[in-house]
Amino acid sequence: MNPTRFTPLSRLLHWTMAACVLAMLFIGVSMVASLADYHKLVAIHRPLGIAILVLAAVRLINRILNPAPPFPPTMGALERVAAKGSEFLMYALMFILPLVGWGMLSAASYPVVLIGGLRLPPILPHDLALYAALRKAHTVLAYLFFGTFLAHLGAVLFHTFVIRDGLLRRMTGGRE
């Protein structure tokens, strides 16, 4: 393994989850903006959220077994703290958002139906006040995730195109 890059499995998990999270954020925004396709979008949103939850667990285990390569020397101490903090926040949100969504649906007595008709059991009792609180929390956390995702993307693009320190190559497997 090249110690300046993430492992191939880490890169596969990163880009797979990036695509899933990005799709999920846009589906979530579309669900709010367009009621015409609401049920079709929900049919995608629920199993995709559970897929993200499962992938987050796999990714966390992989990350523990395969630590991140060091940051480039161009990154200052404050940038390193910000990068690690935003990464920690995104990991936390990849677990919390699907669980809050699942709990929200449980509180409303809505089923979480996966591909093939598989239904997940409720994780919270039927409670409409709890549903309302979790729905608001789900929305706020989704916006927090979107903002953190954009900050992460912006920082990587800044390092790639302005500083040109090869930060992105840690995750792409490209040439040194």
Side-chain angles (χ1 to χ4, degrees):
M1 179 182 114
N2 184 344
T4 62
R5 297 200 172 132
F6 284 93
T7 65
L9 178 59
S10 297
R11 293 192 304 259
L12 176 66
L13 287 168
H14 175 87
W15 294 112
T16 300
M17 290 200 68
C20 290
V21 166
L22 201 54
M24 184 62 100
L25 291 171
F26 282 108
I27 288 169
V29 169
S30 298
M31 286 169 50
V32 173
S34 171
L35 295 178
D37 296 323
Y38 182 80
H39 294 293
K40 290 178 186 172
L41 294 170
V42 166
I44 298 169
H45 189 82
R46 290 177 183 169
L48 186 56
I50 298 301
I52 288 172
L53 180 62
V54 171
L55 283 171
V58 171
R59 190 170 175 195
L60 181 62
I61 292 167
N62 178 63
R63 184 59 179 268
I64 291 168
L65 297 174
N66 299 294
F71 289 116
T74 54
M75 289 181 69
L78 187 59
E79 277 184 295
R80 292 169 192 251
V81 169
K84 287 181 181 179
S86 67
E87 182 183 34
F88 176 80
L89 181 59
M90 286 195 292
Y91 266 92
L93 289 169
M94 286 186 281
F95 283 100
I96 294 169
L97 262 169
L99 288 173
V100 168
W102 187 358
M104 176 183 79
L105 294 173
S106 298
S109 292
Y110 291 137
V112 178
V113 181
L114 303 180
I115 295 170
L118 177 66
R119 287 179 179 236
L120 295 180
I123 58 173
L124 292 173
H126 177 71
D127 182 335
L128 292 180
L130 180 60
Y131 165 76
L134 290 174
R135 183 179 169 93
K136 183 172 253 178
H138 194 68
T139 300
V140 170
L141 291 171
Y143 282 119
L144 176 62
F145 199 154
F146 191 58
T148 307
F149 179 86
L150 289 178
H152 174 77
L153 179 63
V156 170
L157 292 175
F158 178 74
H159 275 270
T160 299
F161 296 113
V162 177
I163 297 178
R164 299 177 187 238
D165 59 5
L167 180 68
L168 183 60
R169 283 193 296 266
R170 293 171 6 130
M171 193 50 84
T172 60
R175 295 177 143 209
E176 290 288 332

